[in-house]
């Protein structure tokens, strides 16, 4: 009985990793759609929303079914409590990646971002995908050390986000307010995506150690 229960818990962890993979894929394709003004890629990214939302709802249903049918001990409860928060973070990560693709679609055939900031957004996309990949591995392995490392990796994203603000708030910014607003909004999407990977890392550390820290250190 207990072995079957453990198998169910492992399956739930694998399901979280699958949702994370979908969010990672959406970020990669959404960034490429943004940089290339690729309408078809934007559309395919946006279409992933249904699968992400469906898997998230299915995870919650499975989790509550396991809780209802078993007699969970303290660690089991930590897994479920952490998982409920994690699935919300992963779903939001997917949503943020899709928002990037939606903005690319809305401005098509024009490019959303001017040439001056393309390299910044390319790097933001790379960092975000890297963080999502690390998050997926953390979910599969419950590696507290890797989770701790992930909690500090958003510093690179924060620095990139600050560089966008510096560019768009400069007195010699040549592209006007609407473009600056789009860039600010996009930067926020990437920053929040990164923040959610950190939140997942915190939840995994709580799962492993029983301790949850509210700071980002």
């Amino acid at each position: 009985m207990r072995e079957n229960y453990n198998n169910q818990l492992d399956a739930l962890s694998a399901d979280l990793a699958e949702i994370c993979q979908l969010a990672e894929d959406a970020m990669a394709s959404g960034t490429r759609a943004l940089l290339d003004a690729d309408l078809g890629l934007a559309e395919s990214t946006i279409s992933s929303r249904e699968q992400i939302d469906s898997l998230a709802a299915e995870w919650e249903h499975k989790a509550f079914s396991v809780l209802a049918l078993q007699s969970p001990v303290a660690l089991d409860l930590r897994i479920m409590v952490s998982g409920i928060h994690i699935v919300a973070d992963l779903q939001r990560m997917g949503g943020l990646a899709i928002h990037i693709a939606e903005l690319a679609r809305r401005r098509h055939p024009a490019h959303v971002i001017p040439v001056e900031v393309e390299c910044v957004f390319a790097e933001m996309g790379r960092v975000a995908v890297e963080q999502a990949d690390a998050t997926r591995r953390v979910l599969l392995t419950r590696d507290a050390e890797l989770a701790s490392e992930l909690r500090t990796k958003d510093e690179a994203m924060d620095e990139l986000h600050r560089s966008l603000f510096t560019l768009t708030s400069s007195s010699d910014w040549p592209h006007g307010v609407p473009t600056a607003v789009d860039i600010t909004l996009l930067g926020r999407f990437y920053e929040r995506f990164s923040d959610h990977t950190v939140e997942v890392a915190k939840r995994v550390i709580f799962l492993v150690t029983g301790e949850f820290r509210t700071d980002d250190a």
Side-chain angles (χ1 to χ4, degrees):
M1 178 71 75
R2 184 68 194 181
E3 181 179 356
N4 181 58
Y5 186 28
N6 289 336
N7 289 338
Q8 289 177 305
L9 295 178
D10 289 342
L12 286 171
S13 294
D15 289 344
L16 289 176
E18 182 181 357
I19 300 170
C20 187
Q21 181 68 66
L22 290 173
E24 178 184 341
D25 292 344
M27 175 54 74
S29 61
T31 297
R32 183 47 54 196
L34 174 70
L35 294 172
D36 296 345
D38 187 325
L39 181 60
L41 192 54
E43 293 284 8
S44 66
T45 302
I46 294 165
S47 69
S48 68
R49 184 197 304 275
E50 183 176 350
Q51 186 178 10
I52 292 172
D53 290 346
S54 176
L55 286 176
E58 184 179 343
W59 189 95
E60 291 181 345
H61 176 75
K62 287 180 181 177
F64 285 120
S65 295
V66 170
L67 283 175
L69 297 174
Q70 303 291 343
S71 299
V73 297
L75 177 59
D76 303 333
L77 289 173
R78 287 213 301 270
I79 291 172
M80 294 306 180
V81 171
S82 297
I84 289 167
H85 289 283
I86 287 170
V87 77
D89 283 313
L90 298 176
Q91 190 172 15
R92 186 60 182 143
M93 285 166 60
L96 289 162
I98 288 166
H99 288 338
I100 294 167
E102 287 174 332
L103 189 52
R105 181 177 67 177
R106 191 176 307 130
R107 298 289 183 262
H108 187 270
H111 283 255
V112 180
I113 55 176
V115 173
E116 292 93 323
V117 296
E118 283 184 355
C119 61
V120 179
F121 279 104
E123 182 64 9
M124 292 179 95
R126 186 195 67 78
V127 171
V129 168
E130 184 180 87
Q131 286 182 278
D133 182 66
T135 301
R136 181 184 57 79
R137 288 185 281 118
V138 164
L139 290 169
L140 287 172
T141 64
R142 298 180 193 167
D143 185 331
E145 183 177 349
L146 180 57
S148 295
E149 293 174 4
L150 183 58
R151 291 174 60 191
T152 65
K153 285 185 177 179
D154 69 326
E155 294 174 5
M157 185 68 80
D158 290 341
E159 182 61 33
L160 289 164
H161 189 233
R162 284 191 292 269
S163 73
L164 287 175
F165 179 77
T166 299
L167 286 168
T168 57
S169 61
S170 173
S171 59
D172 59 355
W173 172 251
H175 299 290
V177 173
T179 299
V181 170
D182 281 346
I183 289 171
T184 300
L185 188 60
L186 285 166
R188 183 60 173 163
F189 292 155
Y190 283 96
E191 183 199 30
R192 288 301 299 149
F193 186 97
S194 175
D195 287 345
H196 282 293
T197 67
V198 174
E199 289 302 314
V200 173
K202 289 179 183 179
R203 298 293 174 186
V204 172
I205 291 171
F206 168 70
L207 169 61
V208 174
T209 67
E211 298 179 359
F212 184 77
R213 294 180 59 181
T214 57
D215 61 280
D216 291 333

